[in-house]
Amino acid sequence: MKRLLFLLAILWAPALYAQQPPSSTGRAMTSRQTIRYIAVDYPGGRKRFFAGDEFVFKAKGQSGKIRDNIFAVTDSTLVFADFSEITNQQEYTEYRLSDIRKVYFMKGSSLATQAGYLLPAAGALYFIMDFFGPVWNRELKGSSLELTSSTAIVSGGLIGLGALCYKSTHKAMKIGHRNRLKVLQTF
């Protein structure tokens, strides 16, 4: 019986550790006042962003991505607040919803998200360790470096699977005909 409880504790511990802390989404859904939020509607789903959530987007006239936490949501704008050390005050930046051209977010489980980062690194490390093994191994010191087909298949498979996981979890949506950006309210 003790072994069974120990086994269950070992299997249950990663699930408890992997839980994420509650975000502002949970607080917004349980509060009694109406709260405005940004909704990205796309075919097959909707992603919601509340005040305090990180929002990554490209705006008209900007060359790179803008990544910041939402300070407030109005009828037609998003407000971001940054502290300026020069003026020692909060500086507010507003972006109109009509100026936002592309929105980036992650969709999917945390396991697939982490696999998108770790599998390519594992594939590259496997390739390096197998290809350069004769250089480090004292018993094979004089042998030549050669690429075997099994090394290429395994390392290429890990890198490809990692790229597939990354592409499936990181979404980049152009705002336009099928993908819409709206301001909605909770009830």
Side-chain angles (χ1 to χ4, degrees):
M1 183 66 176
K2 288 181 181 179
R3 290 183 181 175
L4 179 64
L5 289 175
F6 180 71
L7 181 64
L8 287 174
I10 288 175
L11 293 174
W12 191 260
L16 292 176
Y17 181 72
Q19 289 180 353
Q20 298 197 2
S23 66
S24 60
T25 306
R27 289 190 303 264
M29 292 299 185
T30 58
S31 69
R32 298 194 188 275
Q33 61 189 19
T34 60
I35 297 174
R36 290 186 183 159
Y37 63 94
I38 296 294
V40 179
D41 289 334
Y42 56 92
R46 172 181 279 178
K47 181 74 174 168
R48 296 171 180 89
F49 296 96
F50 291 88
D53 292 343
E54 185 180 53
F55 193 64
V56 184
F57 65 99
K58 277 190 181 178
K60 185 165 79 173
Q62 300 285 333
S63 61
K65 291 181 189 176
I66 300 168
R67 177 185 303 260
D68 206 352
N69 290 335
I70 299 172
F71 181 74
V73 178
T74 64
D75 288 336
S76 62
T77 61
L78 280 173
V79 181
F80 298 100
D82 291 319
F83 184 75
S84 174
E85 293 181 9
I86 297 171
T87 61
N88 205 18
Q89 294 178 350
Q90 287 278 10
E91 292 182 357
Y92 300 99
T93 308
E94 288 188 6
Y95 290 97
R96 297 187 58 78
L97 293 182
S98 60
D99 291 341
I100 296 175
R101 297 291 177 226
K102 196 179 244 189
V103 175
Y104 301 91
F105 59 89
M106 286 191 291
K107 175 186 170 191
S109 68
S110 61
L111 178 64
T113 303
Q114 293 302 316
Y117 296 113
L118 294 176
L119 286 176
L125 185 64
Y126 181 82
F127 178 79
I128 290 169
M129 295 302 289
D130 194 52
F131 184 72
F132 293 107
V135 173
W136 298 311
N137 194 348
R138 290 182 186 162
E139 296 171 4
L140 304 172
K141 250 316 189 205
S143 63
S144 63
L145 299 175
E146 58 184 58
L147 177 64
T148 61
S149 62
S150 63
T151 301
I153 290 172
V154 171
S155 62
L158 286 172
I159 291 170
L161 186 60
L164 183 67
C165 288
Y166 183 87
K167 187 66 176 166
S168 68
T169 58
H170 290 73
K171 300 290 183 188
M173 305 246 173
K174 285 186 178 180
I175 303 301
H177 179 64
R178 296 185 66 179
N179 305 321
R180 308 232 168 135
L181 194 61
K182 300 177 184 178
V183 175
L184 299 175
Q185 288 185 349
T186 60
F187 294 108

